[in-house]
Amino acid sequence: MESEEDSYEDIPCSTENRKPMEGLFHSHLEERVRPYIDLIDSLRLIGIEDDLALPTIAVIGDQSSGKSSVLEALSGVALPRGSGIVTRCPLELKLRKIRGGVYWRAIISYNDEYIEFDDPSLVERHVETAQNKLAGEGVGICDDLITLEIMAPDVCDLTLIDLPGIARVPVKGQPEDIGYQIKNLIRKYIERDETINLVVVPCNVDIATTEALKMAQEVDPEGKRTLAILTKPDLVDRGTERNVLDIVRNQVIPLSKGYVIVKCRGQKQIDDRISLADATRVERDFFRRHEFFSCLLYEEKATVQCLATKLTQDLVDHIKKSLPLLSEQIKKQLWDLRKDLSLCEPGPPLDPQKRKAFFIDTLTQFNDKVNRLVSGEVVNEDNLFILIRTEFKAWKNHLDGTKQSYHTTVQNVINDYDYKHRGRELPGFSDYNVFEMVVKRLVIELKVPAIDTLRVIRDIIQKQLSDVCKACFLNYPFLQCVAMNKIDNIQSKQEEKVEQRIWEQFEMEQLVYTQDGIYFKALNEMHPGEPDKPSEDNHASLDSRNKYPEMLQAYYEIVVQRLADQVPMLIRYFMLKESVQLLCSEMLALMDGANVMEVLREESDSSRHRVDMQNRVDRLTIAQEKLSNFV
Ligand code: GDP
Ligand code: MG
């Protein structure tokens, strides 16, 4: 039999690759398993791991039996290995296949540590550091789990657990009950139903006395999830080869899953930096040339590759078994989500075409609402028309309120004029210019209150439009902001226009004009029902002097009526009718060239929640479709 060293003589010593090493699962997986793994991949996206525990492969065995070596060969990830106690904490190796990338990335996490790295050759160092931190430097062990997640394009979705080896006798520095401690720790992992237990036994020890096998049989009496691995076939004691053959053929201690014999890298090959890929070829060569074991190649009971195939099959079986339940769960989740979704406000679709239509819809709804607002419908909490009518009424009241002081002023001016300027003429025949001036002066005083009315009403209208805007664009802060700005700009522009018109109106009032007919009518109405009432006063002078204030009063009445209508009409027309027309057309103009993704960006807890749910529904629906091909 060749010595370990001999068998590698013809193999060139390649340096350990920095690029990802190929896991054996990978090459073997493709045709048969890929569809299932793809399925699980897509299901993982929907957080399927909460529902479906993917099988974990735990390796148990004596110290230095070759556990880490087997895991390493399966995963393609170089782990700390060697003599003595090397694995001192449970190490969970999560392999995650990533799509569309070529890079390798790993995260090691334990306690509060979380370290990312992208160099495969650093795995060993990081694991050692982690073990030293958790279990202390030396030979102690620790229950705390180290998780090493590896994301690479060429690994298989699989979780492997490396466990400390079973020690019989404590070495120096280890507590008396170390064996008990380790067994407890191991049991925690191997008793889980979704764990496939790999019992690792070197060819050069008596399998019947192996503690690991006993433990595995304890937690899995039927052996449904126990697979035994014989390692170090190159170190088999001469003369015991036939025994080993019998064991592998399931003839000594029968297990329902049976045995596989593998040859991993020995210490020498590690020292010589034989790559894992090369080791695979070396292993095959070893078995092919082996005097006793070569037949096992054909019986499919030898090589790591064969082991990988068996495990893969287990993985697929597990997935297959879980699918009906999974399908049920997805159906239920979908049902619940759709119910919840139907209860919340519909949001913008994600599809660009549909989103555009939704956008147009949203704008149209807004325009409809503002149009209904100006046409007198109550669309907000407060009734717009009641509010502005109240203000118009106040304006009218103000105008009426000035009549008394107007009257007094006019009277005073006439008296004053007579007193100061009267010449030979009889009292009361004063100058028209004087009266005209009084009228002009008093009417112009109405300008400021008119403008005030405008301001108050602008505020009312702007608030109402803003309320509509907020209600219509509740979840779209961007759109809301755009609309608010438009409202403000348009209102300002229109307010300026109205102010200008009011100003012009008061300029025109300086003409002191009305149609004769209107004037006489007003004059007559000064004494309704007693047009030709004879004066009780016998003083002709006084009587005619009173006629002037009456005439001026009649004219003022006409001015008041004119302004009482004119100012509200200007305001209603420009601030309400025209401004809403402008707003609507500006809003519709947003449709051209707007980035609908951006414009309809949502921002509220409820919309976030809805988008979340929508995304889950989408993912679950895809998952359901995929599942339907399998179940
Ligand atoms: P663990 O303690 O069970 O994890 O064992 P390791 O995987 O660390 O292996 C212990 C030692 O045995 C290491 O030096 C490995 O290189 C070596 N080893 C593992 N498998 C084989 C094998 O098939 N043949 C030889 N010759 N050495 C092996
Ligand atoms: Mg180990």
Side-chain angles (χ1 to χ4, degrees), residues 67-68 80 86-87 162-163:
K67 299 177 297 296
S68 300
V86 177
T87 308
D162 194 10
L163 291 165

Side-chain angles (χ1 to χ4, degrees), residues 361-389:
D361 226 50
T362 311
L363 290 179
T364 313
Q365 272 174 27
F366 172 77
N367 282 1
D368 272 4
K369 216 166 172 187
V370 287
N371 275 314
R372 282 194 280 127
L373 180 74
V374 285
S375 68
E377 262 184 59
V378 183
V379 299
N380 289 320
E381 220 169 276
D382 302 314
N383 183 330
L384 172 65
F385 277 76
I386 290 182
L387 293 175
I388 56 179
R389 200 181 304 119

Side-chain angles (χ1 to χ4, degrees), residues 385-618:
F385 277 76
I386 290 182
L387 293 175
I388 56 179
R389 200 181 304 119
T390 310
E391 289 309 316
F392 290 156
K393 188 92 198 310
W395 163 241
K396 173 78 164 60
N397 287 345
H398 175 80
L399 291 171
D400 288 342
T402 59
K403 284 180 194 170
Q404 185 51 48
S405 71
Y406 172 87
H407 186 62
T408 321
T409 311
V410 165
Q411 190 76 57
N412 290 343
V413 168
I414 290 169
N415 291 344
D416 199 43
Y417 184 86
D418 270 8
Y419 177 73
K420 284 182 183 155
H421 304 284
R422 207 178 115 207
R424 64 180 173 84
E425 67 270 29
L426 293 172
F429 289 91
S430 311
D431 189 348
Y432 177 69
N433 284 329
V434 178
F435 303 128
E436 200 183 35
M437 260 175 37
V438 181
V439 173
K440 282 184 185 178
R441 207 186 76 213
L442 293 177
V443 170
I444 205 83
E445 279 176 15
L446 298 173
K447 195 160 97 179
V448 172
I451 301 287
D452 286 348
T453 304
L454 166 65
R455 303 245 188 276
V456 171
I457 292 183
R458 178 222 161 127
D459 288 348
I460 291 171
I461 293 175
Q462 184 150 350
K463 170 153 193 316
Q464 291 260 331
L465 289 175
S466 303
D467 285 352
V468 174
C469 170
K470 277 183 209 147
C472 286
F473 307 137
L474 185 67
N475 296 330
Y476 314 113
F478 182 83
L479 200 52
Q480 209 181 89
C481 178
V482 169
M484 287 290 203
N485 277 333
K486 287 193 184 304
I487 292 170
D488 191 51
N489 285 340
I490 292 171
Q491 287 283 301
S492 296
K493 217 169 64 192
Q494 295 297 98
E495 187 182 11
E496 228 171 83
K497 248 195 223 174
V498 177
E499 205 176 322
Q500 175 67 20
R501 300 282 154 111
I502 290 176
W503 197 80
E504 284 164 5
Q505 183 68 35
F506 280 93
E507 288 297 295
M508 290 188 284
E509 291 299 341
Q510 299 296 298
L511 296 174
V512 186
Y513 170 80
T514 187
Q515 300 262 6
D516 290 353
I518 297 173
Y519 174 69
F520 286 124
K521 187 165 174 266
L523 202 55
N524 277 340
E525 281 167 4
M526 299 297 294
H527 303 288
E530 39 181 319
D532 293 307
K533 180 190 166 233
S535 172
E536 278 166 32
D537 200 325
N538 284 327
H539 299 285
S541 63
L542 263 182
D543 205 25
S544 69
R545 224 190 306 170
N546 274 340
K547 245 172 74 186
Y548 286 107
E550 259 176 31
M551 284 152 77
L552 287 171
Q553 219 180 318
Y555 179 71
Y556 193 69
E557 194 61 48
I558 291 164
V559 171
V560 161
Q561 276 182 24
R562 196 155 56 201
L563 289 175
D565 282 344
Q566 185 67 3
V567 170
M569 282 178 82
L570 284 171
I571 294 176
R572 264 192 64 180
Y573 181 75
F574 289 105
M575 300 309 290
L576 210 52
K577 190 160 191 290
E578 201 181 75
S579 89
V580 161
Q581 277 168 2
L582 289 169
L583 181 62
C584 287
S585 62
E586 282 193 24
M587 289 308 284
L588 285 181
L590 283 179
M591 282 192 274
D592 306 323
N595 175 350
V596 279
M597 280 301 158
E598 197 50 28
V599 174
L600 289 181
R601 212 185 52 235
E602 293 184 272
E603 227 165 79
S604 74
D605 284 347
S606 64
S607 66
R608 263 189 290 274
H609 181 55
R610 193 200 55 240
V611 169
D612 240 44
M613 286 201 292
Q614 190 56 57
N615 287 340
R616 281 187 63 203
V617 166
D618 291 350

Side-chain angles (χ1 to χ4, degrees), residues 13 216 260 280 285 325 353 358 386 420 481 512 558 568 583 621:
C13 295
V260 179
T280 309
D285 277 356
L325 175 70
Q353 215 52 41
F358 181 88
I386 290 182
K420 284 182 183 155
C481 178
V512 186
I558 291 164
L583 181 62
T621 310

